């Protein structure tokens, strides 16, 4: 018995059949948050950047650079969310913040082309070990795709690199809004021609699930307790009674009988 | 030697290596027209509708119904293109024109639910026999996806039904324009973060390739000489010197060395 499995009101899957549960019996599509939930961005970026540094003889504390780079992520989107700057893709925000972080750390020897190349590392992130099998099982019954803050071009490359069995690729440039603004959740359901309760967001982040639930979507929490490295302090567990809580995507596939 | 193979200036692939050809050496993504090019909509619809009629005891000349239904397709989109009506998805246009065709043929015994169910037959169209192998080979090197006049919801179901190895799914509701308006070709390149000459449209229709070429895309023509049935009169051959002409998708995969 997997003790991480919790359904509505903390029922386990042994209390009643999943497909008798009103919460998921009409489910048609699963939307996935990507950075953190599907791919291990931190270790992937550290590996890519350290290899680049070694190849090019550039010295730096690469894990520190990656952590500072990611720390700039949400504030940079927030300026767009608040209307303080016009629509800007995540690729462009990543490129900008990398330049700022490199300068702040005093790293020298990087050209503009190098910064562009390093930004492309976001297109080559590795999935967590459970993702391939879990996604393939879920794909046998559900329509699958990302609901990420990435732009389409970034997500299409990442999907190709990681070999993810997605039926579509959405990106924030389609609606020019970043989660947790309501538009991404609403637009995804509308484009799929599904009611919100036929759609489930799968995410490792409680804030994302909260925003999805407000729009009427079903929710599944997957903890990724090392997403931010060994000293992660947030999103270690489900903070609310989400529709489903699973230990990873294989576990979610089992919960959904696939 | 496949005599259907023609490149720029009617060169065959034996005149010069494909990958030395400036026209395709920088190619990154292939966009596919879908109805006719990828799937055999006519025979698929006839099969679905005849089976429905037999199951339900509804008598009709199903091939005639399908031909009249398809004949309503372009005029219905044209009203949207010309701004004579506001944005309407292909699903909705199909549903409307089916009602009109059923009435004009004097077919009785169909409820509104039946008409909705028959319209969904567009989500279950069979690929031509060469598609599966051709697409899989092309996917090993290129980013693949549809550039159709279908809406996202229709195309996502069709992709799932037909098992197509696409990296993304675009739909006309993303830009609210129908081909051959310029917006779909432009928006697709922009969303993929590619220059038009890094993108190739693959289509069985000369008008579509013309519109793509005006926007700077590479072009590949695939004849589908029975798309409209045994008495098809148009698009029997390439009407201009497209970047590539292939006999089918397997042949295109060979031309592109995949």
């Amino acid at each position: 018995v997997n003790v991480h499995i919790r359904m509505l009101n903390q029922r386990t899957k042994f209390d009643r059949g999943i497909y008798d549960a009103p919460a998921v019996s009409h489910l048609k599509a699963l939307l996935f948050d990507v950075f953190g939930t599907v791919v291990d961005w931190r270790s992937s970026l550290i590996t890519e950047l350290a290899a680049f540094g070694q190849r090019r003889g550039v010295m730096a504390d690469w894990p520190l650079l990656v952590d500072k780079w990611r720390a700039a992520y949400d504030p940079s989107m927030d300026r767009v969310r608040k209307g303080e700057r016009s629509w800007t893709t995540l690729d462009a925000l990543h490129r900008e913040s990398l330049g700022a972080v490199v300068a702040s750390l005093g790293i020298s020897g990087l050209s503009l082309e190098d910064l562009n190349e390093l930004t492309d590392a976001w297109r080559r992130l590795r999935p967590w070990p459970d993702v391939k099998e879990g996604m393939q099982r879920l794909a046998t019954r559900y329509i699958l795709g990302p609901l990420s803050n990435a732009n389409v071009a970034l997500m299409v490359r990442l999907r190709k690199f990681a070999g993810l069995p997605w039926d579509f690729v959405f990106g924030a440039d389609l609606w020019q809004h970043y989660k947790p603004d309501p538009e991404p959740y609403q637009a995804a359901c509308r484009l799929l021609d599904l009611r919100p309760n036929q759609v489930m967001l799968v995410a490792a982040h409680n804030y994302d699930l909260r925003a999805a639930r407000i729009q009427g979507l079903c929710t599944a929490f997957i903890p990724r307790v090392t997403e931010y490295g060994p000293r992660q302090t947030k999103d270690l567990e489900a903070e609310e009674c989400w529709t489903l809580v699973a230990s990873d995507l294989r576990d979610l596939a089992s919960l959904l009988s696939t």
Side-chain angles (χ1 to χ4, degrees), chain A:
Chain A
V1 177
N2 186 328
V3 295
H4 295 289
I5 296 171
R6 290 292 181 275
M7 284 187 59
L8 294 166
N9 306 321
Q10 309 304 312
R11 282 187 182 88
T12 74
K13 66 175 172 176
F14 303 102
D15 292 319
R16 61 178 182 184
I18 293 286
Y19 270 87
D20 301 329
V24 295
S25 61
H26 39 39
L27 201 58
K28 299 290 183 195
L30 303 179
L31 301 177
F32 295 87
D33 171 65
V34 176
F35 300 127
T37 302
V38 174
V39 296
D40 178 4
W41 54 266
R42 185 175 186 272
S43 78
S44 301
L45 289 175
I46 291 171
T47 303
E48 281 259 350
L49 271 57
F52 174 91
Q54 189 146 34
R55 200 165 64 240
R56 298 286 307 280
V58 177
M59 303 292 287
D61 181 342
W62 299 108
L64 178 65
L65 186 155
V66 167
D67 288 339
K68 283 183 170 288
W69 198 4
R70 181 63 176 190
Y73 176 86
D74 206 57
S76 70
M77 288 192 296
D78 228 29
R79 293 193 55 214
V80 177
R81 290 191 190 104
K82 293 176 180 166
E84 294 171 9
R85 65 182 293 182
S86 62
W87 173 252
T88 311
T89 65
L90 195 59
D91 266 339
L93 294 176
H94 277 150
R95 174 61 186 79
E96 278 182 20
S97 50
L98 177 62
V101 169
V102 162
S104 77
L105 291 177
I107 301 168
S108 60
L110 296 177
S111 66
L112 293 179
E113 290 69 29
D114 291 337
L115 296 182
N116 292 339
E117 185 182 333
L118 290 177
T119 301
D120 276 353
W122 284 91
R123 300 179 169 194
R124 297 183 298 272
L125 305 177
R126 288 188 305 269
W128 298 101
D130 53 286
V131 166
K132 187 165 184 172
E133 181 196 322
M135 286 271 187
Q136 282 173 345
R137 288 167 57 191
L138 291 165
T140 60
R141 181 168 299 171
Y142 300 102
I143 296 169
L144 307 185
L147 189 71
S148 164
N149 279 333
N151 42 312
V152 170
L154 197 176
M155 201 50 38
V156 166
R157 267 71 167 198
L158 180 56
R159 170 238 169 74
K160 189 96 170 170
F161 173 81
L164 299 166
W166 287 339
D167 296 300
F168 60 87
V169 169
F170 290 153
D173 38 351
L174 298 180
W175 22 78
Q176 306 205 344
H177 279 277
Y178 284 121
K179 298 187 294 180
D181 285 356
E183 287 82 357
Y185 311 96
Q186 296 168 345
C189 296
R190 192 177 63 242
L191 285 171
L192 292 171
D193 191 20
L194 293 173
R195 297 187 305 277
N197 69 355
Q198 296 178 300
V199 179
M200 177 178 271
L201 179 72
V202 182
H205 310 119
N206 288 282
Y207 88 92
D208 200 358
L209 297 175
R210 265 179 216 112
R213 187 162 65 183
I214 289 169
Q215 302 307 320
L217 281 73
C218 301
T219 51
F221 179 79
I222 310 265
R224 298 295 193 189
V225 299
T226 59
E227 175 190 354
Y228 285 88
R231 287 181 299 277
Q232 181 167 329
T233 56
K234 65 177 180 178
D235 288 319
L236 298 176
E237 59 185 6
E239 293 167 7
E240 305 190 22
C241 284
W242 306 121
T243 316
L244 297 172
V245 177
S247 56
D248 62 20
L249 286 195
R250 277 189 296 250
D251 189 27
L252 183 67
S254 298
L255 274 175
L256 291 170
S257 305
T258 60

PDB file of all heavy atoms in Angstrom, chain A residues 229-247:
ATOM      1  N   GLY A 229      16.773  21.415  -5.136  1.00  0.00           N
ATOM      2  CA  GLY A 229      18.000  20.964  -4.512  1.00  0.00           C
ATOM      3  C   GLY A 229      17.744  20.415  -3.118  1.00  0.00           C
ATOM      4  O   GLY A 229      16.596  20.309  -2.670  1.00  0.00           O
ATOM      5  N   PRO A 230      18.833  20.061  -2.418  1.00  0.00           N
ATOM      6  CA  PRO A 230      18.686  19.339  -1.145  1.00  0.00           C
ATOM      7  C   PRO A 230      18.057  20.164  -0.023  1.00  0.00           C
ATOM      8  O   PRO A 230      17.596  19.593   0.960  1.00  0.00           O
ATOM      9  CB  PRO A 230      20.129  18.938  -0.807  1.00  0.00           C
ATOM     10  CG  PRO A 230      21.000  19.861  -1.596  1.00  0.00           C
ATOM     11  CD  PRO A 230      20.231  20.214  -2.827  1.00  0.00           C
ATOM     12  N   ARG A 231      18.041  21.480  -0.169  1.00  0.00           N
ATOM     13  CA  ARG A 231      17.530  22.288   0.937  1.00  0.00           C
ATOM     14  C   ARG A 231      16.178  22.915   0.610  1.00  0.00           C
ATOM     15  O   ARG A 231      15.845  23.984   1.120  1.00  0.00           O
ATOM     16  CB  ARG A 231      18.554  23.374   1.311  1.00  0.00           C
ATOM     17  CG  ARG A 231      19.777  22.817   2.044  1.00  0.00           C
ATOM     18  CD  ARG A 231      20.768  23.887   2.421  1.00  0.00           C
ATOM     19  NE  ARG A 231      21.287  24.585   1.250  1.00  0.00           N
ATOM     20  CZ  ARG A 231      22.301  24.139   0.497  1.00  0.00           C
ATOM     21  NH1 ARG A 231      22.893  23.005   0.808  1.00  0.00           N
ATOM     22  NH2 ARG A 231      22.698  24.813  -0.551  1.00  0.00           N
ATOM     23  N   GLN A 232      15.401  22.245  -0.222  1.00  0.00           N
ATOM     24  CA  GLN A 232      14.084  22.769  -0.605  1.00  0.00           C
ATOM     25  C   GLN A 232      13.173  22.885   0.619  1.00  0.00           C
ATOM     26  O   GLN A 232      13.142  22.003   1.474  1.00  0.00           O
ATOM     27  CB  GLN A 232      13.465  21.816  -1.642  1.00  0.00           C
ATOM     28  CG  GLN A 232      12.091  22.266  -2.127  1.00  0.00           C
ATOM     29  CD  GLN A 232      11.653  21.490  -3.359  1.00  0.00           C
ATOM     30  OE1 GLN A 232      12.496  21.080  -4.160  1.00  0.00           O
ATOM     31  NE2 GLN A 232      10.368  21.310  -3.535  1.00  0.00           N
ATOM     32  N   THR A 233      12.440  24.002   0.697  1.00  0.00           N
ATOM     33  CA  THR A 233      11.565  24.213   1.858  1.00  0.00           C
ATOM     34  C   THR A 233      10.082  24.276   1.487  1.00  0.00           C
ATOM     35  O   THR A 233       9.236  24.178   2.363  1.00  0.00           O
ATOM     36  CB  THR A 233      11.924  25.539   2.565  1.00  0.00           C
ATOM     37  OG1 THR A 233      11.838  26.607   1.598  1.00  0.00           O
ATOM     38  CG2 THR A 233      13.330  25.494   3.132  1.00  0.00           C
ATOM     39  N   LYS A 234       9.756  24.454   0.183  1.00  0.00           N
ATOM     40  CA  LYS A 234       8.337  24.602  -0.161  1.00  0.00           C
ATOM     41  C   LYS A 234       7.851  23.447  -1.024  1.00  0.00           C
ATOM     42  O   LYS A 234       8.644  22.727  -1.621  1.00  0.00           O
ATOM     43  CB  LYS A 234       8.078  25.940  -0.852  1.00  0.00           C
ATOM     44  CG  LYS A 234       8.742  26.087  -2.202  1.00  0.00           C
ATOM     45  CD  LYS A 234       8.373  27.425  -2.854  1.00  0.00           C
ATOM     46  CE  LYS A 234       9.061  27.541  -4.209  1.00  0.00           C
ATOM     47  NZ  LYS A 234       8.722  28.777  -4.917  1.00  0.00           N
ATOM     48  N   ASP A 235       6.508  23.293  -1.060  1.00  0.00           N
ATOM     49  CA  ASP A 235       5.873  22.256  -1.881  1.00  0.00           C
ATOM     50  C   ASP A 235       6.388  20.854  -1.555  1.00  0.00           C
ATOM     51  O   ASP A 235       6.504  20.004  -2.438  1.00  0.00           O
ATOM     52  CB  ASP A 235       6.050  22.559  -3.382  1.00  0.00           C
ATOM     53  CG  ASP A 235       5.175  23.743  -3.816  1.00  0.00           C
ATOM     54  OD1 ASP A 235       4.016  23.824  -3.366  1.00  0.00           O
ATOM     55  OD2 ASP A 235       5.661  24.572  -4.603  1.00  0.00           O
ATOM     56  N   LEU A 236       6.709  20.659  -0.272  1.00  0.00           N
ATOM     57  CA  LEU A 236       7.140  19.318   0.129  1.00  0.00           C
ATOM     58  C   LEU A 236       5.963  18.370   0.244  1.00  0.00           C
ATOM     59  O   LEU A 236       6.134  17.161   0.211  1.00  0.00           O
ATOM     60  CB  LEU A 236       7.899  19.396   1.463  1.00  0.00           C
ATOM     61  CG  LEU A 236       9.178  20.244   1.408  1.00  0.00           C
ATOM     62  CD1 LEU A 236       9.810  20.346   2.796  1.00  0.00           C
ATOM     63  CD2 LEU A 236      10.178  19.678   0.403  1.00  0.00           C
ATOM     64  N   GLU A 237       4.759  18.940   0.365  1.00  0.00           N
ATOM     65  CA  GLU A 237       3.577  18.080   0.456  1.00  0.00           C
ATOM     66  C   GLU A 237       2.337  18.823  -0.023  1.00  0.00           C
ATOM     67  O   GLU A 237       2.366  20.045  -0.210  1.00  0.00           O
ATOM     68  CB  GLU A 237       3.370  17.598   1.896  1.00  0.00           C
ATOM     69  CG  GLU A 237       3.195  18.743   2.867  1.00  0.00           C
ATOM     70  CD  GLU A 237       3.119  18.249   4.316  1.00  0.00           C
ATOM     71  OE1 GLU A 237       3.317  17.048   4.546  1.00  0.00           O
ATOM     72  OE2 GLU A 237       2.850  19.082   5.189  1.00  0.00           O
ATOM     73  N   ALA A 238       1.263  18.062  -0.223  1.00  0.00           N
ATOM     74  CA  ALA A 238      -0.014  18.652  -0.633  1.00  0.00           C
ATOM     75  C   ALA A 238      -0.537  19.522   0.503  1.00  0.00           C
ATOM     76  O   ALA A 238      -0.655  19.064   1.637  1.00  0.00           O
ATOM     77  CB  ALA A 238      -1.007  17.546  -0.971  1.00  0.00           C
ATOM     78  N   GLU A 239      -0.828  20.772   0.201  1.00  0.00           N
ATOM     79  CA  GLU A 239      -1.282  21.687   1.239  1.00  0.00           C
ATOM     80  C   GLU A 239      -2.801  21.760   1.320  1.00  0.00           C
ATOM     81  O   GLU A 239      -3.339  22.405   2.212  1.00  0.00           O
ATOM     82  CB  GLU A 239      -0.696  23.088   0.980  1.00  0.00           C
ATOM     83  CG  GLU A 239       0.820  23.100   1.149  1.00  0.00           C
ATOM     84  CD  GLU A 239       1.482  24.359   0.605  1.00  0.00           C
ATOM     85  OE1 GLU A 239       0.750  25.292   0.208  1.00  0.00           O
ATOM     86  OE2 GLU A 239       2.724  24.392   0.576  1.00  0.00           O
ATOM     87  N   GLU A 240      -3.489  21.153   0.370  1.00  0.00           N
ATOM     88  CA  GLU A 240      -4.948  21.135   0.408  1.00  0.00           C
ATOM     89  C   GLU A 240      -5.413  19.766  -0.079  1.00  0.00           C
ATOM     90  O   GLU A 240      -4.611  18.963  -0.553  1.00  0.00           O
ATOM     91  CB  GLU A 240      -5.505  22.250  -0.489  1.00  0.00           C
ATOM     92  CG  GLU A 240      -4.926  23.611  -0.109  1.00  0.00           C
ATOM     93  CD  GLU A 240      -5.618  24.771  -0.798  1.00  0.00           C
ATOM     94  OE1 GLU A 240      -6.769  24.607  -1.241  1.00  0.00           O
ATOM     95  OE2 GLU A 240      -4.990  25.828  -0.888  1.00  0.00           O
ATOM     96  N   CYS A 241      -6.718  19.523   0.052  1.00  0.00           N
ATOM     97  CA  CYS A 241      -7.261  18.245  -0.421  1.00  0.00           C
ATOM     98  C   CYS A 241      -7.454  18.305  -1.927  1.00  0.00           C
ATOM     99  O   CYS A 241      -8.559  18.538  -2.426  1.00  0.00           O
ATOM    100  CB  CYS A 241      -8.577  17.932   0.274  1.00  0.00           C
ATOM    101  SG  CYS A 241      -8.351  17.362   1.951  1.00  0.00           S
ATOM    102  N   TRP A 242      -6.394  18.110  -2.667  1.00  0.00           N
ATOM    103  CA  TRP A 242      -6.502  18.070  -4.123  1.00  0.00           C
ATOM    104  C   TRP A 242      -7.271  16.832  -4.541  1.00  0.00           C
ATOM    105  O   TRP A 242      -7.403  15.879  -3.760  1.00  0.00           O
ATOM    106  CB  TRP A 242      -5.108  18.093  -4.751  1.00  0.00           C
ATOM    107  CG  TRP A 242      -4.285  19.251  -4.284  1.00  0.00           C
ATOM    108  CD1 TRP A 242      -3.084  19.214  -3.637  1.00  0.00           C
ATOM    109  CD2 TRP A 242      -4.629  20.642  -4.399  1.00  0.00           C
ATOM    110  NE1 TRP A 242      -2.652  20.479  -3.351  1.00  0.00           N
ATOM    111  CE2 TRP A 242      -3.580  21.385  -3.797  1.00  0.00           C
ATOM    112  CE3 TRP A 242      -5.708  21.336  -4.930  1.00  0.00           C
ATOM    113  CZ2 TRP A 242      -3.579  22.779  -3.733  1.00  0.00           C
ATOM    114  CZ3 TRP A 242      -5.717  22.735  -4.869  1.00  0.00           C
ATOM    115  CH2 TRP A 242      -4.671  23.430  -4.283  1.00  0.00           C
ATOM    116  N   THR A 243      -7.741  16.803  -5.770  1.00  0.00           N
ATOM    117  CA  THR A 243      -8.515  15.663  -6.255  1.00  0.00           C
ATOM    118  C   THR A 243      -7.729  14.368  -6.078  1.00  0.00           C
ATOM    119  O   THR A 243      -8.253  13.366  -5.594  1.00  0.00           O
ATOM    120  CB  THR A 243      -8.858  15.847  -7.751  1.00  0.00           C
ATOM    121  OG1 THR A 243      -9.286  17.191  -7.980  1.00  0.00           O
ATOM    122  CG2 THR A 243      -9.950  14.879  -8.173  1.00  0.00           C
ATOM    123  N   LEU A 244      -6.467  14.385  -6.474  1.00  0.00           N
ATOM    124  CA  LEU A 244      -5.591  13.233  -6.287  1.00  0.00           C
ATOM    125  C   LEU A 244      -4.238  13.714  -5.785  1.00  0.00           C
ATOM    126  O   LEU A 244      -3.803  14.823  -6.115  1.00  0.00           O
ATOM    127  CB  LEU A 244      -5.381  12.482  -7.618  1.00  0.00           C
ATOM    128  CG  LEU A 244      -6.609  11.851  -8.290  1.00  0.00           C
ATOM    129  CD1 LEU A 244      -6.230  11.331  -9.674  1.00  0.00           C
ATOM    130  CD2 LEU A 244      -7.172  10.724  -7.435  1.00  0.00           C
ATOM    131  N   VAL A 245      -3.604  12.859  -5.004  1.00  0.00           N
ATOM    132  CA  VAL A 245      -2.206  13.076  -4.646  1.00  0.00           C
ATOM    133  C   VAL A 245      -1.493  11.763  -4.930  1.00  0.00           C
ATOM    134  O   VAL A 245      -1.939  10.699  -4.482  1.00  0.00           O
ATOM    135  CB  VAL A 245      -2.042  13.452  -3.153  1.00  0.00           C
ATOM    136  CG1 VAL A 245      -0.565  13.598  -2.807  1.00  0.00           C
ATOM    137  CG2 VAL A 245      -2.786  14.749  -2.852  1.00  0.00           C
ATOM    138  N   ALA A 246      -0.428  11.838  -5.702  1.00  0.00           N
ATOM    139  CA  ALA A 246       0.311  10.621  -6.063  1.00  0.00           C
ATOM    140  C   ALA A 246       1.784  10.852  -5.795  1.00  0.00           C
ATOM    141  O   ALA A 246       2.256  11.992  -5.795  1.00  0.00           O
ATOM    142  CB  ALA A 246       0.082  10.275  -7.531  1.00  0.00           C
ATOM    143  N   SER A 247       2.515   9.771  -5.558  1.00  0.00           N
ATOM    144  CA  SER A 247       3.933   9.946  -5.229  1.00  0.00           C
ATOM    145  C   SER A 247       4.755  10.305  -6.467  1.00  0.00           C
ATOM    146  O   SER A 247       5.781  10.964  -6.362  1.00  0.00           O
ATOM    147  CB  SER A 247       4.489   8.687  -4.560  1.00  0.00           C
ATOM    148  OG  SER A 247       4.277   7.568  -5.386  1.00  0.00           O
TER     149      SER A 247
END
